[in-house]
PDB file of all heavy atoms in Angstrom:
ATOM      1  N   GLN A 502     -31.590 -22.346  10.341  1.00  0.00           N
ATOM      2  CA  GLN A 502     -30.630 -23.279  10.935  1.00  0.00           C
ATOM      3  C   GLN A 502     -29.205 -22.928  10.519  1.00  0.00           C
ATOM      4  O   GLN A 502     -28.276 -22.974  11.331  1.00  0.00           O
ATOM      5  CB  GLN A 502     -30.972 -24.716  10.525  1.00  0.00           C
ATOM      6  CG  GLN A 502     -32.235 -25.222  11.204  1.00  0.00           C
ATOM      7  CD  GLN A 502     -32.547 -26.679  10.874  1.00  0.00           C
ATOM      8  OE1 GLN A 502     -32.569 -27.074   9.708  1.00  0.00           O
ATOM      9  NE2 GLN A 502     -32.782 -27.479  11.892  1.00  0.00           N
ATOM     10  N   LEU A 505     -28.080 -20.001  12.549  1.00  0.00           N
ATOM     11  CA  LEU A 505     -27.687 -20.390  13.912  1.00  0.00           C
ATOM     12  C   LEU A 505     -26.286 -20.984  13.917  1.00  0.00           C
ATOM     13  O   LEU A 505     -25.482 -20.706  14.813  1.00  0.00           O
ATOM     14  CB  LEU A 505     -28.679 -21.389  14.506  1.00  0.00           C
ATOM     15  CG  LEU A 505     -30.000 -20.834  15.004  1.00  0.00           C
ATOM     16  CD1 LEU A 505     -30.727 -21.856  15.864  1.00  0.00           C
ATOM     17  CD2 LEU A 505     -29.820 -19.546  15.780  1.00  0.00           C
TER      18      LEU A 505
ATOM     19  N   SER B1299     -27.363 -23.487  25.675  1.00  0.00           N
ATOM     20  CA  SER B1299     -28.778 -23.230  25.375  1.00  0.00           C
ATOM     21  C   SER B1299     -28.995 -23.135  23.864  1.00  0.00           C
ATOM     22  O   SER B1299     -30.063 -23.474  23.350  1.00  0.00           O
ATOM     23  CB  SER B1299     -29.275 -21.984  26.101  1.00  0.00           C
ATOM     24  OG  SER B1299     -29.011 -20.830  25.348  1.00  0.00           O
ATOM     25  N   LEU B1300     -27.948 -22.716  23.161  1.00  0.00           N
ATOM     26  CA  LEU B1300     -28.030 -22.706  21.697  1.00  0.00           C
ATOM     27  C   LEU B1300     -28.145 -24.130  21.151  1.00  0.00           C
ATOM     28  O   LEU B1300     -28.951 -24.406  20.257  1.00  0.00           O
ATOM     29  CB  LEU B1300     -26.800 -21.999  21.113  1.00  0.00           C
ATOM     30  CG  LEU B1300     -26.567 -22.095  19.607  1.00  0.00           C
ATOM     31  CD1 LEU B1300     -27.782 -21.650  18.818  1.00  0.00           C
ATOM     32  CD2 LEU B1300     -25.346 -21.266  19.201  1.00  0.00           C
ATOM     33  N   ALA B1301     -27.360 -25.032  21.728  1.00  0.00           N
ATOM     34  CA  ALA B1301     -27.428 -26.435  21.294  1.00  0.00           C
ATOM     35  C   ALA B1301     -28.834 -26.985  21.498  1.00  0.00           C
ATOM     36  O   ALA B1301     -29.380 -27.685  20.638  1.00  0.00           O
ATOM     37  CB  ALA B1301     -26.400 -27.267  22.058  1.00  0.00           C
ATOM     38  N   ALA B1302     -29.430 -26.625  22.645  1.00  0.00           N
ATOM     39  CA  ALA B1302     -30.788 -27.089  22.935  1.00  0.00           C
ATOM     40  C   ALA B1302     -31.761 -26.542  21.895  1.00  0.00           C
ATOM     41  O   ALA B1302     -32.640 -27.258  21.398  1.00  0.00           O
ATOM     42  CB  ALA B1302     -31.201 -26.633  24.338  1.00  0.00           C
ATOM     43  N   ARG B1303     -31.576 -25.274  21.563  1.00  0.00           N
ATOM     44  CA  ARG B1303     -32.436 -24.631  20.569  1.00  0.00           C
ATOM     45  C   ARG B1303     -32.295 -25.304  19.206  1.00  0.00           C
ATOM     46  O   ARG B1303     -33.281 -25.513  18.489  1.00  0.00           O
ATOM     47  CB  ARG B1303     -32.045 -23.160  20.479  1.00  0.00           C
ATOM     48  CG  ARG B1303     -32.778 -22.324  19.464  1.00  0.00           C
ATOM     49  CD  ARG B1303     -32.408 -20.865  19.639  1.00  0.00           C
ATOM     50  NE  ARG B1303     -32.785 -20.425  20.976  1.00  0.00           N
ATOM     51  CZ  ARG B1303     -33.858 -19.685  21.227  1.00  0.00           C
ATOM     52  NH1 ARG B1303     -34.638 -19.292  20.232  1.00  0.00           N
ATOM     53  NH2 ARG B1303     -34.161 -19.336  22.447  1.00  0.00           N
ATOM     54  N   GLN B1304     -31.081 -25.646  18.873  1.00  0.00           N
ATOM     55  CA  GLN B1304     -30.856 -26.318  17.582  1.00  0.00           C
ATOM     56  C   GLN B1304     -31.532 -27.681  17.557  1.00  0.00           C
ATOM     57  O   GLN B1304     -32.138 -28.070  16.552  1.00  0.00           O
ATOM     58  CB  GLN B1304     -29.352 -26.446  17.323  1.00  0.00           C
ATOM     59  CG  GLN B1304     -28.704 -25.099  17.000  1.00  0.00           C
ATOM     60  CD  GLN B1304     -27.225 -25.226  16.636  1.00  0.00           C
ATOM     61  OE1 GLN B1304     -26.446 -25.840  17.359  1.00  0.00           O
ATOM     62  NE2 GLN B1304     -26.850 -24.640  15.508  1.00  0.00           N
ATOM     63  N   ALA B1305     -31.444 -28.389  18.683  1.00  0.00           N
ATOM     64  CA  ALA B1305     -32.097 -29.695  18.768  1.00  0.00           C
ATOM     65  C   ALA B1305     -33.606 -29.541  18.611  1.00  0.00           C
ATOM     66  O   ALA B1305     -34.260 -30.322  17.909  1.00  0.00           O
ATOM     67  CB  ALA B1305     -31.767 -30.347  20.104  1.00  0.00           C
ATOM     68  N   GLU B1306     -34.147 -28.514  19.250  1.00  0.00           N
ATOM     69  CA  GLU B1306     -35.584 -28.244  19.171  1.00  0.00           C
ATOM     70  C   GLU B1306     -36.012 -27.944  17.732  1.00  0.00           C
ATOM     71  O   GLU B1306     -37.044 -28.429  17.260  1.00  0.00           O
ATOM     72  CB  GLU B1306     -35.924 -27.071  20.104  1.00  0.00           C
ATOM     73  CG  GLU B1306     -37.327 -26.515  19.986  1.00  0.00           C
ATOM     74  CD  GLU B1306     -38.397 -27.487  20.428  1.00  0.00           C
ATOM     75  OE1 GLU B1306     -38.043 -28.581  20.928  1.00  0.00           O
ATOM     76  OE2 GLU B1306     -39.579 -27.170  20.244  1.00  0.00           O
ATOM     77  N   LEU B1307     -35.195 -27.183  17.014  1.00  0.00           N
ATOM     78  CA  LEU B1307     -35.511 -26.895  15.606  1.00  0.00           C
ATOM     79  C   LEU B1307     -35.523 -28.187  14.793  1.00  0.00           C
ATOM     80  O   LEU B1307     -36.393 -28.382  13.939  1.00  0.00           O
ATOM     81  CB  LEU B1307     -34.507 -25.912  15.015  1.00  0.00           C
ATOM     82  CG  LEU B1307     -34.671 -24.446  15.394  1.00  0.00           C
ATOM     83  CD1 LEU B1307     -33.847 -23.562  14.478  1.00  0.00           C
ATOM     84  CD2 LEU B1307     -36.131 -24.012  15.348  1.00  0.00           C
ATOM     85  N   GLU B1308     -34.588 -29.062  15.062  1.00  0.00           N
ATOM     86  CA  GLU B1308     -34.550 -30.347  14.359  1.00  0.00           C
ATOM     87  C   GLU B1308     -35.826 -31.141  14.620  1.00  0.00           C
ATOM     88  O   GLU B1308     -36.421 -31.714  13.710  1.00  0.00           O
ATOM     89  CB  GLU B1308     -33.325 -31.166  14.811  1.00  0.00           C
ATOM     90  CG  GLU B1308     -32.111 -30.969  13.942  1.00  0.00           C
ATOM     91  CD  GLU B1308     -32.407 -31.236  12.456  1.00  0.00           C
ATOM     92  OE1 GLU B1308     -32.864 -32.339  12.104  1.00  0.00           O
ATOM     93  OE2 GLU B1308     -32.164 -30.301  11.656  1.00  0.00           O
ATOM     94  N   ARG B1309     -36.226 -31.121  15.890  1.00  0.00           N
ATOM     95  CA  ARG B1309     -37.456 -31.836  16.269  1.00  0.00           C
ATOM     96  C   ARG B1309     -38.651 -31.276  15.491  1.00  0.00           C
ATOM     97  O   ARG B1309     -39.449 -32.033  14.928  1.00  0.00           O
ATOM     98  CB  ARG B1309     -37.690 -31.676  17.778  1.00  0.00           C
ATOM     99  CG  ARG B1309     -38.646 -32.698  18.393  1.00  0.00           C
ATOM    100  CD  ARG B1309     -38.909 -32.372  19.853  1.00  0.00           C
ATOM    101  NE  ARG B1309     -39.566 -31.085  20.018  1.00  0.00           N
ATOM    102  CZ  ARG B1309     -40.885 -30.905  19.913  1.00  0.00           C
ATOM    103  NH1 ARG B1309     -41.687 -31.919  19.642  1.00  0.00           N
ATOM    104  NH2 ARG B1309     -41.402 -29.693  20.074  1.00  0.00           N
ATOM    105  N   CYS B1310     -38.745 -29.958  15.431  1.00  0.00           N
ATOM    106  CA  CYS B1310     -39.841 -29.321  14.694  1.00  0.00           C
ATOM    107  C   CYS B1310     -39.768 -29.684  13.210  1.00  0.00           C
ATOM    108  O   CYS B1310     -40.798 -29.890  12.567  1.00  0.00           O
ATOM    109  CB  CYS B1310     -39.800 -27.814  14.867  1.00  0.00           C
ATOM    110  SG  CYS B1310     -40.258 -27.279  16.525  1.00  0.00           S
ATOM    111  N   ARG B1311     -38.554 -29.775  12.702  1.00  0.00           N
ATOM    112  CA  ARG B1311     -38.404 -30.109  11.284  1.00  0.00           C
ATOM    113  C   ARG B1311     -38.978 -31.499  10.987  1.00  0.00           C
ATOM    114  O   ARG B1311     -39.649 -31.703   9.970  1.00  0.00           O
ATOM    115  CB  ARG B1311     -36.935 -30.051  10.864  1.00  0.00           C
ATOM    116  CG  ARG B1311     -36.744 -29.805   9.362  1.00  0.00           C
ATOM    117  CD  ARG B1311     -35.293 -29.565   9.021  1.00  0.00           C
ATOM    118  NE  ARG B1311     -34.454 -30.693   9.358  1.00  0.00           N
ATOM    119  CZ  ARG B1311     -34.329 -31.785   8.598  1.00  0.00           C
ATOM    120  NH1 ARG B1311     -34.977 -31.878   7.458  1.00  0.00           N
ATOM    121  NH2 ARG B1311     -33.558 -32.770   8.965  1.00  0.00           N
ATOM    122  N   THR B1312     -38.765 -32.450  11.880  1.00  0.00           N
ATOM    123  CA  THR B1312     -39.319 -33.784  11.626  1.00  0.00           C
ATOM    124  C   THR B1312     -40.847 -33.748  11.687  1.00  0.00           C
ATOM    125  O   THR B1312     -41.504 -34.469  10.950  1.00  0.00           O
ATOM    126  CB  THR B1312     -38.781 -34.835  12.623  1.00  0.00           C
ATOM    127  OG1 THR B1312     -39.340 -34.598  13.913  1.00  0.00           O
ATOM    128  CG2 THR B1312     -37.268 -34.790  12.715  1.00  0.00           C
TER     129      THR B1312
END
Side-chain angles (χ1 to χ4, degrees):
Chain A
Q502 289 183 310
L505 283 194
Chain B
S1299 86
L1300 169 54
R1303 178 172 300 257
Q1304 289 184 309
E1306 171 66 5
L1307 283 194
E1308 267 306 303
R1309 199 185 63 84
C1310 289
R1311 204 172 61 81
T1312 71

